[in-house]
Amino acid sequence: MRALLSIPVLLAALILQTTVLSRITLLGGNADLVLLIVIAWSIQEEVDTTWQWAVIGGLLVGLVSKLPFYFYIPLFVITAGFAFWLRRRFWQVPVISMFLTTAIGTALIQTATMLVLQFTVTPFSFSEAFGFVILPSLLLNLLLAIPVYALITDLARSVYRTARIE
């Protein structure tokens, strides 16, 4: 049941990301709202559907991307796994985990995307891609990390509180 909640939440985030957030750019970078939601969900202590949210988020992003639809699934799962690992083993401060996972996940996904585009579309300078796309995307994601974390924390608490009552 809780895994099914990911479909409307991530679908709404994807629509918001492709319509509104795609217009808010910094140089060539965009914010990745679906990734931020998957990370924030993965950091929540009581959540047990981390992997489902990561797969569904990666699939949805892949469906609207020009890259193959399965490209983002392992990247989202790796990022969610890192967030899960941080939550379990490393930090008790979830906001730091959110920032660290956002930075690493954004760098991973943007770098992998740039590498695929480098070999399939048109060769470009990786240093320019780093300066004009990866770093601005990282900055935008870090700016959105706290509001997304707060919203997802409230959502997770209400979902898991309702589940405990029933």
Side-chain angles (χ1 to χ4, degrees), residues 35 38 54 58 67 70-82 104-113 116:
L35 176 67
V38 168
L67 295 174
Y70 53 82
F71 175 77
Y72 289 98
I73 295 171
L75 298 172
F76 271 61
V77 169
I78 290 168
T79 303
F82 182 70
I104 290 173
T106 300
L108 172 73
I109 290 172
Q110 291 291 332
T111 303
T113 303
V116 168

Side-chain angles (χ1 to χ4, degrees), residues 55-134:
V55 169
I56 291 169
L59 181 65
L60 288 174
V61 170
L63 289 174
V64 298
S65 172
K66 291 183 181 178
L67 295 174
F69 73 93
Y70 53 82
F71 175 77
Y72 289 98
I73 295 171
L75 298 172
F76 271 61
V77 169
I78 290 168
T79 303
F82 182 70
F84 184 78
W85 178 76
L86 279 179
R87 175 183 62 157
R88 292 282 181 203
R89 308 266 186 245
F90 208 41
W91 272 305
Q92 293 295 323
V93 183
V95 174
I96 294 173
S97 297
M98 181 72 185
F99 280 132
L100 186 59
T101 307
T102 298
I104 290 173
T106 300
L108 172 73
I109 290 172
Q110 291 291 332
T111 303
T113 303
M114 292 299 154
L115 287 173
V116 168
L117 292 175
Q118 175 77 21
F119 294 115
T120 59
V121 181
T122 315
F124 54 85
S125 168
F126 194 75
S127 62
E128 286 182 12
F130 185 76
F132 288 115
V133 178
I134 296 174

Side-chain angles (χ1 to χ4, degrees), residues 10 34-55 57 75-89 91 94 97-98 101-102 148-149 152-153 155-156 160:
L10 292 174
V34 176
L35 176 67
L36 292 174
I37 288 174
V38 168
I39 292 169
W41 188 260
S42 301
I43 290 174
Q44 302 305 314
E45 191 64 38
E46 62 273 353
V47 166
D48 58 359
T49 56
T50 296
W51 308 114
Q52 294 91 337
W53 279 65
V55 169
L75 298 172
F76 271 61
V77 169
I78 290 168
T79 303
F82 182 70
F84 184 78
W85 178 76
L86 279 179
R87 175 183 62 157
R88 292 282 181 203
R89 308 266 186 245
W91 272 305
S97 297
M98 181 72 185
T101 307
T102 298
V148 168
Y149 176 76
I152 296 302
T153 299
L155 177 66
Y160 282 88

